[in-house]
Structures are given as C-alpha cells and as structure tokens.
C-alpha cells in the first residue's frame, strides 16, 4: 500500500491546495519506491460517426518496489496538461523518461537531502546534469535532459512550487 501524506493534485496552472507548498511532492519515500513511466490510453476526439478515438499518452508513476504496485503520480500533470499535452506519444515518452530519471536521482543520491520538490534549487539540477556527464552519457542525451529539466523547473515555478529559486533564474518563456 502506498503511503502519502502531502501530495497534492495539480489542476491547470495552479495547485489545488496551495497553502502548504513545501510538500507538493513528498520525496521522503526513498527506500521502497521508484518513479516509473506509465503508458496510458485516454479518450480522444470523436470521429464523424461519433466514435471516441483512443489516444496513447504517458504518465509518471510511483511504484512500490516490494509489491510491484504503482499509481499514476500527480506530477504527471507536467506531461498531461502542460507543454506536451498535444505532442506525439514518443515526445511525451522522452520527456517522461527524462523526468523519471531525475526524480529517481533525487531518491537515490546519498548526498541529496531533499524531502520535497519545493526544496529544489538550481544547484540540484546542475548536480544531476553533471552526474550524467560523469556517467559518460552522450552529449545529445545530456542536452535533451537539460531541456526537459529546464521546462520542469519552469512548470514547477509557474505552479509556485519552487520557493528556493528566484524567478529571475528561470526563463518563463519556455
């Protein structure tokens, strides 16, 4: 069974419960959980004969390593309702995978003391990108991860979830 105390669904551009932004995403689940990508099918547009087309998209899930059970995590709003909501499946999959890798880095990094995404700062993102370089990842992989991570920071900032990052450090035009 999953245990969440402080996770809020994101609706549109603002959090539903914005009174406690320090716990937007609880990362205090380090030992037994991992983030995963979850392909899902949703109802799409209606055809001329009133049939509803199914559309495949991506979500971000949190899986219990012991039981194998997973849930679709609220952070999926980053993919489902923002910049990539109208993009093709493979684009969504690429960005979901990049965010899952970053979130798992936050969970697994021993030096990382972050308990919530609200505690993120620019240095944490830089440390992650440097870890990719240290792991001898290809330049295009690092560039792609940086692009996704920048958009993720912008999205978190627009949802008032980054109190430790000044607005002038984030280019909101992305």
């Amino acid at each position: 069974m999953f245990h969440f105390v402080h996770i809020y669904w994101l609706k549109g551009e603002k959090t539903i419960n914005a009174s406690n932004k320090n716990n937007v995403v609880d990362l205090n689940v380090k030992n037994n959980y991992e983030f995963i990508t979850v392909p899902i099918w949703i109802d799409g547009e209606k055809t001329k004969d009133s049939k509803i087309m199914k559309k495949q998209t991506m979500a971000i899930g949190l899986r219990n390593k012991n039981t194998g059970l997973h849930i679709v995590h609220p952070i999926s709003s980053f993919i489902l309702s923002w910049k990539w909501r109208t993009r093709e499946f493979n684009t969504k999959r690429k960005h979901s995978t990049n965010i899952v890798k970053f979130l798992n880095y936050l969970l697994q990094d021993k030096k990382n003391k972050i308990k919530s995404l609200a505690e993120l700062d620019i240095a944490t993102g830089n440390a992650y990108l440097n870890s990719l370089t240290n792991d001898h990842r290809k330049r295009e992989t690092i560039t792609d991860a940086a692009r996704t991570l920048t958009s993720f920071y912008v999205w978190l900032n627009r949802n008032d979830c980054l109190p430790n990052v000044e607005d002038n450090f984030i280019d909101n035009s992305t």
Side-chain angles (χ1 to χ4, degrees), residues 38-160:
V38 181
I40 56 175
W41 289 90
I42 59 172
D43 290 341
E45 300 173 6
K46 282 188 178 182
T47 62
K48 291 180 183 177
D49 56 355
S50 296
K51 290 184 180 178
I52 297 175
M53 294 177 49
K54 296 287 185 187
K55 183 177 180 181
Q56 191 174 23
T57 189
M58 289 299 291
I60 297 170
L62 190 63
R63 178 173 48 200
N64 183 313
K65 291 180 185 178
N66 297 331
T67 65
L69 296 175
H70 71 272
I71 60 166
V72 173
H73 196 279
I75 205 76
S76 296
S77 294
F78 172 64
I79 300 295
L80 298 174
S81 68
W82 194 58
K83 189 175 183 175
W84 293 289
R85 71 179 176 271
T86 59
R87 302 290 170 85
E88 295 298 320
F89 174 75
N90 286 337
T91 301
K92 293 176 186 178
R93 182 175 60 187
K94 174 180 67 172
H95 294 293
S96 295
T97 300
N98 287 340
I99 291 304
V100 163
K101 288 177 182 179
F102 175 64
L103 294 172
N104 283 329
Y105 166 82
L106 295 177
L107 290 178
Q108 296 163 1
D109 184 31
K110 303 292 187 228
K111 295 177 246 172
N112 180 17
K113 305 294 182 206
I114 293 177
K115 295 179 184 160
S116 167
L117 287 182
E119 297 176 21
L120 274 180
D121 56 16
I122 301 297
T124 305
N126 284 336
Y128 170 68
L129 295 173
N130 288 336
S131 77
L132 295 179
T133 302
N134 294 338
D135 291 343
H136 305 291
R137 302 283 190 233
K138 292 181 183 177
R139 178 183 296 228
E140 59 194 40
T141 301
I142 296 168
T143 302
D144 192 47
R147 187 175 303 120
T148 302
L149 197 57
T150 299
S151 293
F152 187 57
Y153 271 70
V154 168
W155 179 78
L156 287 169
N157 190 52
R158 285 185 180 173
N159 283 285
D160 299 321

